[in-house]
Amino acid sequence: MARIRTKFIVITGGVLSSLGKGLTAAALGALLKAKGIKVSMQKLDPYLNLDPGTMNPHQHGEVYVTDDGAETDLDLGHYERFLGTPMTRRSSYTAGRIYSQVLAKERRGGYLGGTVQVIPHVTDEVKEAILSMTEDDLDVVLVEVGGTVGDIESLPFLEAVRQLRSELGRGRCLFIHLSFLPYLETSGEFKSKPTQHSVKELRSIGIQPDIIVCRSPMPISIESRAKIALFCDVSQDAVFTAVDVKNIYELPIKLFKEGLEKKVARLLSLGKTEPDISPWQNLVDRQARLTKKVSVNIVGKYGELMDSYKSLKEALGHGGLAHEAEVEFNYINAEEVDAENAGKILKSAQGILVPGGFGSRGIEGMILAVSYARRHKVPFLGICLGLQCAVIEFARNQAGLPHANSEEFRPNCRDNVIFRMTGWYDPNTGLRAQRDPSDDLGGSMRVGSYPCKLAPGTKASQAYGETDLIHERHRHRFEFNPRFLKTLTRAGLVISGQGPDDPLENPSLPRPKLVEIIELADHPWFLGCQFHPEFKSSPMKPHPLFKSFIGAALQTAKRTK
Ligand code: GLN
């Protein structure tokens, strides 16, 4: 193997899922970054889906989107928010993607007729995926292996990292195992047995962890530490606790105080520079001192599972933080909103948000929520599907198109103000490709970062600090139908953001100016965006649209007091 400068930290999880492996990894990444080290992260997911793009948010949580158009696991959102650096397609691999690469290679004759096997072919592909991260000339890459040790599915990944470690050597590849340490109230003791078993499982496949991080409700006792060290064959100063925190942004501070970064730095020879954790401390202090309160009604369809709107919830919080306000969210199931009860349900909050979503369920409820926000001058933010509902509502009630709809919900309606671009949206125009969506749901969307030009003097432009050009992340199949541009703008709809019209690569092809942001002039704050601003918000840098939206909601709160 060619000499690689990058060092790797592999994080595995044991005992049970949902221990916060992604968060712990991200917090450690943040600490290393605060040390002045160039860090990035990667997630290896053991399931067979090619990517989480087609997975149901109810089951899997939100699909996070990167600039380069990868549809990924929501842990990548944590990585970006903690590291403040964008992840890429390389940062997320599923077993499905690995296997499909292996099979494609096999079809191309890449294995010269040999028998294709998990070891070495699948494991080689995994190692290649991990090593592809070195292209960015990083000091450290944190690799999170999804799933729980002991699962059949994650075996090829674990075998690959085992091989990687023996190829790179101990000083260049470190194993951290995150485990669970239950506390038994009745006997008043921590129980280390599950951790012992999960480490035993790891060792049976040849991986000896260097560091064990125990997730536990409180700091563990010296005796438990000693016991884990003894049974799991690590030194006592390599056993750490990740205590439950109320605010996830306390994690870097907690882990720093535990000395995790110091231990990692020593084992990987990363230098003795103390990480500057003051920005994290400031953040946590500011979060603890929020003086105002504002509430937002989120009218969507994935409300039952909080993880479906992970980034959105985060971004609203960041927006609030910018105004020293705590944001309270009420999830409202759009299916339960009807013309009769809309007012009663919606009047409780100072802002209304219709988030992204797919399929027709709950659409009429969302449109009623838009209508309520427009008529009662409640600050409104519509994201992706939310913009589409806002355009439909405006067309129906303000522009004399009572049957207005989206091709997604009524394929053959004449007044589809939201439509699908397949046919005239040419991939050669420089925008990302659209494939025939008929049998491949995974490849038919506009996904990833696209430029948007802001119209001066609009709320959008104001929110973004009067910049002309922004870049935001998309994930949708349908668009504002330009056939209705005149009708709708004449009726008062303001187009405040559009795709730039300068032909990038092929000037001879028509390049539609896609509508990216709409707003209303005679309203305190009513804005819909075709993109997902929540993916680019972080606590250190709240997104301008969320900051502005929450600002407007706070104004409403003041007015109605
Ligand atoms: N279902 C809509 C579309 O495909 C909106 C998608 C979304 O909100 N992300 O265009």
Side-chain angles (χ1 to χ4, degrees):
M1 183 183 291
R3 180 92 188 138
I4 297 160
R5 160 185 113 72
T6 311
K7 293 171 179 167
F8 293 86
I9 301 173
V10 179
I11 295 127
T12 53
V15 184
L16 32 105
S17 58
S18 305
L19 282 183
K21 206 169 358 124
L23 279 172
T24 311
L28 176 60
L31 283 178
L32 295 176
K33 190 179 175 196
K35 221 173 141 64
I37 282 174
K38 216 171 150 202
V39 200
S40 194
M41 305 192 61
Q42 187 182 50
K43 173 96 192 261
L44 303 177
D45 271 311
Y47 47 78
L48 288 176
N49 304 62
L50 260 191
D51 59 45
T54 49
M55 290 168 99
N56 186 341
H58 279 297
Q59 225 186 69
H60 191 70
E62 132 193 310
V63 175
Y64 189 77
V65 176
T66 57
D67 279 335
D68 62 351
E71 299 176 82
T72 73
D73 185 85
L74 54 80
D75 268 325
L76 266 80
H78 292 311
Y79 301 170
E80 286 204 3
R81 288 187 285 270
F82 275 86
L83 261 61
T85 39
M87 298 293 126
T88 67
R89 188 170 287 282
R90 282 200 293 265
S91 320
S92 170
Y93 272 88
T94 65
R97 184 169 164 204
I98 296 284
Y99 276 93
S100 98
Q101 285 174 194
V102 168
L103 294 177
K105 210 182 263 181
E106 188 268 341
R107 290 291 85 183
R108 288 197 307 270
Y111 299 108
L112 305 174
T115 310
V116 182
Q117 294 178 299
V118 173
I119 306 173
H121 304 106
V122 171
T123 47
D124 278 354
E125 201 69 33
V126 174
K127 282 191 285 178
E128 216 172 282
I130 298 175
L131 292 172
S132 73
M133 291 294 289
T134 61
E135 284 170 33
D136 290 332
D137 192 33
L138 299 157
D139 298 316
V140 173
V141 175
L142 290 111
V143 181
E144 178 192 347
V145 183
T148 308
V149 169
D151 296 346
I152 293 175
E153 287 178 317
S154 51
L155 279 174
F157 283 135
L158 293 173
E159 168 58 17
V161 293
R162 184 199 66 76
Q163 292 174 18
L164 191 73
R165 150 103 132 204
S166 78
E167 285 160 26
L168 292 174
R170 285 183 90 87
R172 313 260 311 286
C173 181
L174 184 81
F175 287 131
I176 299 182
H177 186 59
L178 179 71
S179 179
F180 180 58
L181 205 72
Y183 180 76
L184 277 196
E185 295 271 351
T186 39
S187 54
E189 51 179 355
F190 289 101
K191 303 307 281 181
S192 66
K193 195 69 85 192
T195 300
Q196 291 176 38
H197 278 287
S198 122
V199 170
K200 190 170 138 208
E201 191 79 39
L202 253 188
R203 290 166 77 178
S204 75
I205 44 183
I207 294 177
Q208 167 62 48
D210 302 287
I211 290 175
I212 296 175
V213 179
C214 303
R215 173 77 192 270
S216 99
M218 56 187 121
I220 59 174
S221 61
I222 296 181
E223 299 82 63
S224 307
R225 210 177 273 263
K227 198 164 171 192
I228 291 169
L230 178 67
F231 280 91
C232 302
D233 199 19
V234 295
S235 61
Q236 275 194 42
D237 69 353
V239 182
F240 296 88
T241 2
V243 285
D244 297 350
V245 284
K246 268 210 223 89
N247 172 1
I248 54 170
Y249 299 111
E250 281 175 45
L251 259 180
I253 304 166
K254 289 263 192 273
L255 294 181
F256 173 73
K257 287 189 178 150
E258 279 269 313
L260 179 63
E261 161 277 326
K262 210 178 220 161
K263 181 74 184 172
V264 167
R266 199 161 56 237
L267 292 175
L268 286 181
S269 313
L270 298 174
K272 290 195 174 141
T273 323
E274 278 269 304
D276 176 14
I277 60 157
S278 59
W280 294 101
Q281 194 59 60
N282 288 343
L283 173 70
V284 170
D285 291 347
R286 278 171 51 221
Q287 282 170 323
R289 274 198 318 258
L290 302 178
T291 50
K292 303 170 216 161
K293 230 186 196 150
V294 65
S295 62
V296 173
N297 281 331
I298 299 178
V299 187
K301 56 186 264 194
Y302 308 118
E304 304 96 88
L305 181 74
M306 295 282 270
D307 272 359
S308 334
Y309 297 124
K310 190 103 202 158
S311 296
L312 181 66
K313 206 181 115 210
E314 282 284 323
L316 281 167
H318 308 153
L321 187 64
H323 299 278
E324 290 173 19
E326 186 187 334
V327 182
E328 209 182 75
F329 330 92
N330 313 315
Y331 288 102
I332 294 176
N333 182 351
E335 280 178 291
E336 281 161 20
V337 179
D338 60 37
E340 241 106 273
N341 65 18
K344 216 156 74 214
I345 296 183
L346 294 166
K347 70 168 186 245
S348 57
Q350 291 90 44
I352 293 178
L353 193 150
V354 175
F358 292 82
S360 59
R361 194 163 55 79
I363 287 302
E364 291 305 320
M366 295 177 204
I367 293 173
L368 283 168
V370 174
S371 191
Y372 179 88
R374 182 177 58 75
R375 287 179 292 110
H376 291 84
K377 311 265 186 238
V378 181
F380 169 82
L381 176 59
I383 294 178
C384 205
L385 180 66
L387 163 132
Q388 300 176 355
C389 289
V391 173
I392 297 171
E393 196 278 334
F394 188 86
R396 286 185 191 172
N397 300 325
Q398 298 290 101
L401 298 166
H403 302 295
N405 220 316
S406 160
E407 204 177 324
E408 183 175 11
F409 319 129
R410 281 197 57 202
N412 297 317
C413 168
R414 212 189 44 191
D415 291 338
N416 271 336
V417 288
I418 303 297
F419 84 131
R420 184 175 208 151
M421 291 192 308
T422 321
W424 60 277
Y425 181 47
D426 198 299
N428 296 322
T429 53
L431 299 180
R432 216 151 276 125
Q434 295 251 311
R435 269 185 274 152
D436 178 3
S438 50
D439 57 355
D440 183 356
L441 283 180
S444 57
M445 284 197 275
R446 178 148 84 104
V447 197
S449 180
Y450 284 83
C452 164
K453 265 189 149 166
L454 299 176
T458 55
K459 290 204 183 70
S461 149
Q462 228 170 46
Y464 281 96
E466 320 284 337
T467 18
D468 331 319
L469 190 69
I470 54 160
H471 289 83
E472 292 284 0
R473 297 183 193 170
H474 291 247
R475 181 171 179 258
H476 52 99
R477 294 195 175 84
F478 298 86
E479 304 278 350
F480 185 111
N481 189 342
R483 191 155 67 82
F484 294 92
L485 200 63
K486 255 200 197 129
T487 316
L488 296 180
T489 46
R490 266 198 207 132
L493 191 75
V494 177
I495 309 296
S496 49
Q498 258 181 309
D501 52 359
D502 48 321
L504 289 178
E505 281 159 17
N506 192 343
S508 64
L509 286 165
R511 178 140 188 252
K513 266 205 212 181
L514 298 167
V515 169
E516 305 282 24
I517 312 179
I518 57 118
E519 55 186 74
L520 295 179
D522 58 347
H523 191 287
W525 209 94
F526 184 108
L527 188 145
C529 50
Q530 189 54 80
F531 47 81
H532 287 271
E534 69 271 29
F535 294 143
K536 282 178 82 169
S537 186
S538 74
M540 303 290 183
K541 252 196 190 164
H543 190 284
L545 286 184
F546 285 95
K547 187 172 158 190
S548 183
F549 170 56
I550 296 297
L554 279 163
Q555 288 299 324
T556 315
K558 243 200 242 160
R559 267 202 313 274
T560 51
K561 239 185 207 164

